[in-house]
Amino acid sequence: METSDLESVEKLHQAYQRLLQEVNRVIIGQQQVVEELLISLLAGGHSLLVGVPGLAKTLIVHTLADTLNLSFNRVQFTPDLMPADITGTDVIQEDKSTGSRDFKFLPGPVFSNVVLADEINRTPPKTQAALLEAMQEHQVTAGGRKHKLPVPFFVLATQNPIEQEGTYPLPEAQLDRFMFEIKVEYPSEEEEFAIVRQTTSDDSYSVKKVLDLDELLSFQSLVRKVPVADHVIRYAMQFARMTRIIPGSDTQAEEVPDFIREFVSWGAGPRASQNLVLGAKARAILHGRMYVSTDDIRAVAHPVLRHRIITNFNAEAEGMTPDKIVDRLIQLISVDSSQEKLDGRLPQVFRSADAR
């Protein structure tokens, strides 16, 4: 990395500390959620937030957008929401001076830097697909014309894990479009005490802008420049490769652990490996480092993999969740060449890129 890039890494690390201070003025706790949102944003990905109602998911996203000086729109997804309600539509407009009529595109709420898709699983697949197309292509099509979305473009979708009646769960192929699935947990007792005391008083808190748009875009490009050693890439790959079960095939039987064969129906694809490395790069520079370690891979393994590992009935019966499967993979995959298992069950993570 060049000297200017190293200075940018240090600048981002300092900005991250200031950002946390500003967010903590409004949000109590949820430090891991804020960090994972920032990692996803710096890596250019989108995130799915899963948590019960009342955990300040909307407030977290809105506060983060304010500190980054980004435009923000919230869309409440409902069963009657149509694609044009979020992407925009063409309307006929008359020119009073000439009397001529022409179509004019009215942008929808998706034309924003940060879009909060609240309860995305409560809207029909047609509307879900319209949003997911915008996420992937960074554009929408209306009346045969393409309209570019603002840069950066970041979608945060929320889901309520409790009530699933009358919902339209996202298919696995669409879930794979989200870089992270971020779990928003209940606050601790002390955090809840501070929340109640702060929100029931007449005090109001606002946040200051920490970064501007140009700085954020430069940091996003900086993520791609962070070097990653070959053994770290191979380490990341094993988290995805060791979850892959192909029904009726013994292609990867040797490298797939027994507990994966017992509890997993489908594993993670190559996009998981890509997002593990990108997420690790973003985490490294957030913490002021110019290199990626296996610690960074492990730190982002849960949000990257939990929505890409499809468990079976055996897992549900025994309470084996995707997070527990990732925990076992972290214990199983070697992080040091001296600990590498050579029993034929684990691939050689630490061999060089040129080895055959």
Side-chain angles (χ1 to χ4, degrees), residues 222-241:
L222 180 64
V223 168
R224 300 274 177 168
K225 299 179 182 179
V226 176
V228 186
D230 288 346
H231 78 272
V232 176
I233 295 177
R234 291 190 181 280
Y235 179 73
M237 287 170 52
Q238 299 318 307
F239 281 93
R241 294 187 63 81

Side-chain angles (χ1 to χ4, degrees), residues 4-18 210-212 214-216 218-219 222 285-286 288:
S4 59
D5 292 333
L6 300 180
E7 293 173 351
S8 296
V9 170
E10 180 59 28
K11 182 179 179 181
L12 175 60
H13 177 60
Q14 295 174 0
Y16 175 52
Q17 302 303 319
R18 297 199 310 273
V210 176
L211 295 175
D212 59 34
D214 291 336
E215 287 177 323
L216 180 59
S218 68
F219 289 142
L222 180 64
I285 63 174
L286 270 182

Side-chain angles (χ1 to χ4, degrees), residues 195-317:
I195 290 170
V196 174
R197 183 171 60 180
Q198 177 173 307
T199 57
T200 56
S201 68
D202 60 353
D203 296 330
S204 60
Y205 299 89
S206 59
V207 295
K208 299 177 182 178
K209 306 292 187 295
V210 176
L211 295 175
D212 59 34
L213 190 60
D214 291 336
E215 287 177 323
L216 180 59
L217 293 175
S218 68
F219 289 142
Q220 283 186 325
S221 65
L222 180 64
V223 168
R224 300 274 177 168
K225 299 179 182 179
V226 176
V228 186
D230 288 346
H231 78 272
V232 176
I233 295 177
R234 291 190 181 280
Y235 179 73
M237 287 170 52
Q238 299 318 307
F239 281 93
R241 294 187 63 81
M242 292 177 67
T243 64
R244 293 173 189 167
I245 294 292
I246 305 175
S249 172
D250 295 328
T251 304
Q252 295 177 309
E254 290 189 357
E255 71 178 64
V256 174
D258 292 338
F259 68 88
I260 295 293
R261 283 196 286 266
E262 182 180 359
F263 296 124
V264 175
S265 297
W266 292 97
R271 191 178 279 119
S273 300
Q274 295 171 328
N275 287 333
L276 281 167
V277 173
L278 278 175
K281 286 185 173 189
R283 183 180 185 272
I285 63 174
L286 270 182
H287 289 269
R289 287 183 284 106
M290 293 69 107
Y291 62 91
V292 176
S293 69
T294 53
D295 288 337
D296 296 313
I297 301 293
R298 290 193 295 276
V300 299
H302 288 88
V304 167
L305 294 171
R306 64 169 55 108
H307 59 299
R308 293 183 166 95
I309 296 176
I310 310 303
T311 54
N312 56 24
F313 176 78
N314 292 335
E316 184 177 354

Side-chain angles (χ1 to χ4, degrees), residues 19 37 50 59 71 128-129 132 134 150 157 163 179 187 203 206 223 258 263 291 296 304 306 324 337:
L19 186 143
L37 286 174
V50 178
L59 183 60
S71 58
Q128 292 176 356
L132 291 165
E163 184 187 357
M179 179 179 183
D203 296 330
S206 59
V223 168
D258 292 338
F263 296 124
Y291 62 91
D296 296 313
V304 167
R306 64 169 55 108
K324 292 181 180 178
S337 57

